Amino acid sequence: MQFTYSARWARACCALLALVASSIALAQAPAAPIVFGQSVALTGAGAGLAVPFQQGAKLHFDRVNAAGGIGGRPIELVTLDDAGSPEQAAANTQKLLAQNPLALLGYYGSPQVTASYKLIKDSDVLLFAPMAGGDEFRGAVYPNVFTLRPGYAEESVAVMRHAATLGVRKLALLHGADSESLAALESAENTLNGLGANLVFKGSITSPDKALAAKPESLLVIGDARGAATAIRELRAQGFRGPVYGFSNTGESLLAEQLGTAGAGVVVVRGVPRSDNARLAIVRDLQADAAAAKLGKPNVYMLEGYIAARVMTEALRRMGKDITRARLRKTLEGMEELNLGGFRVHFAGDRVASRLLELGLIDGQGRVRE
């Protein structure tokens, strides 16, 4: 009888210990991460823009994770290299969707977004803050795209308004052959013609001499920083002293670094604040995080990625424990007059977070001024 009692007691103790061990294991199990998928050009011609964006987004998510994540859940940014290829971007998107991400974040390039969107257009997956200025992504045809900044049409308007204040009317347009520059070219032409601009020349960024033969009063150069800098240096070498403009895909700080003193008088559109404007808390945070990670001096693309991650983090916090794709859409749509460290977000019935467009002037020392 004593033996039976002891055996039962031993079995009960073992069961209790197993239950306790299981509870401890569950308590110690890592919380499931909140996954975001990203396909960008980590290599190739677009890497100079896409890599800093990816770094900026990751810096902010790392900051959030270091503070405990979102409700104890870490944020994971899964990034795949598409080398600027629309076909590879679509293939990457298929791989990313297989990982069941909450959303896609920060794709680079209008053709890449177009190719990838086909895979999510009939789903509840959002693509947030793509680095793509195509105006169509801000319209009704792409309801699952939420952008951080305005498109190229509004950038064209900003350029024309500035040129008008200088009294210049004749405009020449030089463009690169890369996919993003061609997308910007289409928007620029449509908008400039609609505004009644006197477009005296349109041609390759490699032919500045032909542009000057048309005797323009100003030039709009559409291309990446390297290509634009080469064209602008040639324009200045041939004696052109009128205003030269660049869209946001030119990258003001990158262009300024490329041009140095030859950049005097070049005006570049940007859709985020200056990356060295330490008066803004979000810029100071980025500068501190970039310094800690030894990434060097931040540029506008790194700041854009950092801001995109900051907006997404705010949406996650507002959702609380119930984090779903449907609630993410509703939460983003409900963001009104939100100040994130000096960057204002206002979706409110629109899928564009900010209408901010600023013009940066490169001075004779190769520095960007307001």
Side-chain angles (χ1 to χ4, degrees):
M1 186 71 177
Q2 180 65 37
F3 173 79
T4 302
Y5 176 81
S6 298
R8 289 177 178 175
W9 176 254
R11 287 196 296 271
C13 287
C14 288
L16 180 60
L17 288 172
L19 179 61
V20 171
S22 176
S23 299
I24 293 174
L26 287 173
Q28 293 177 341
I34 301 169
V35 177
F36 292 100
Q38 181 182 72
S39 178
V40 291
L42 299 178
T43 58
L49 289 70
V51 169
F53 183 99
Q54 188 273 342
Q55 291 173 330
K58 188 174 185 304
L59 279 176
H60 191 272
F61 287 148
D62 286 347
R63 168 185 278 253
V64 176
N65 290 339
I70 302 296
R73 297 177 64 185
I75 302 174
E76 181 180 352
L77 179 62
V78 180
T79 304
L80 300 179
D81 181 17
D82 58 40
S85 163
E87 294 77 17
Q88 188 59 51
N92 287 350
T93 300
Q94 285 186 316
K95 296 177 183 177
L96 293 168
L97 292 175
Q99 299 187 44
N100 194 33
L102 178 64
L104 304 176
L105 185 146
Y107 277 42
Y108 172 72
S110 296
Q112 290 86 312
V113 171
T114 300
S116 301
Y117 188 78
K118 298 173 184 178
L119 299 170
I120 66 169
K121 67 176 183 178
D122 296 322
S123 73
D124 57 356
V125 178
L126 300 185
L127 171 53
F128 183 72
M131 296 181 68
D135 300 306
E136 63 272 21
F137 304 129
R138 292 147 179 87
V141 179
Y142 290 83
N144 287 9
V145 176
F146 282 67
T147 65
L148 192 64
R149 53 184 173 85
Y152 290 130
E154 290 177 73
E155 293 191 28
S156 300
V157 172
V159 167
M160 284 297 296
R161 285 176 177 170
H162 187 271
T165 64
L166 301 178
V168 296
R169 295 289 184 269
K170 296 180 180 179
L171 174 70
L173 200 160
L174 293 173
H175 64 87
D178 62 284
S179 57
E180 187 62 19
S181 294
L182 292 176
L185 171 66
E186 182 179 1
S187 290
E189 280 193 282
N190 293 337
T191 305
L192 294 173
N193 289 331
L195 293 173
N198 185 3
L199 189 60
V200 297
F201 177 83
K202 179 189 74 172
S204 170
I205 202 170
T206 61
S207 304
D209 53 333
K210 295 180 181 179
L212 293 180
K215 300 188 182 303
E217 296 172 321
S218 64
L219 285 106
L220 171 58
V221 181
I222 301 175
D224 61 27
R226 188 182 300 276
T230 299
I232 292 169
R233 278 194 293 267
E234 182 61 27
L235 289 168
R236 295 308 193 205
Q238 293 190 37
F240 184 75
R241 295 293 176 263
V244 177
Y245 296 95
F247 275 167
S248 60
N249 70 315
T250 304
E252 60 166 21
S253 56
L254 298 179
L255 182 61
E257 291 172 6
Q258 291 277 338
L259 285 171
T261 58
V266 175
V267 178
V268 184
V269 184
R270 62 171 175 265
V272 297
R274 278 173 50 184
S275 56
D276 61 353
N277 185 2
R279 291 173 297 177
L280 302 182
I282 196 163
V283 173
R284 294 196 301 271
D285 288 346
L286 169 60
Q287 290 173 337
D289 290 346
K294 299 181 180 180
L295 291 179
K297 183 180 179 181
N299 59 34
V300 289
Y301 298 116
M302 189 179 290
L303 178 58
E304 186 172 344
Y306 196 84
I307 291 174
R310 180 74 172 269
V311 175
M312 186 56 71
T313 298
E314 176 64 21
L316 293 175
R317 286 174 174 157
R318 291 187 176 201
M319 283 189 281
K321 294 183 179 181
D322 187 15
I323 297 177
T324 65
R325 291 171 177 172
R327 291 204 69 210
L328 175 61
R329 174 186 285 276
K330 185 175 181 180
T331 301
L332 289 173
E333 290 174 341
M335 284 188 177
E336 299 182 24
E337 298 299 338
L338 177 64
N339 188 338
L340 296 178
F343 184 83
R344 296 186 178 278
V345 174
H346 183 79
F347 281 107
D350 198 355
R351 302 191 320 279
V352 182
S354 170
R355 294 293 177 181
L356 173 72
L357 282 178
E358 297 180 343
L359 298 179
L361 174 67
I362 301 175
D363 65 16
Q365 283 73 49
R367 298 173 303 188
V368 179
R369 296 177 177 269
E370 296 290 350

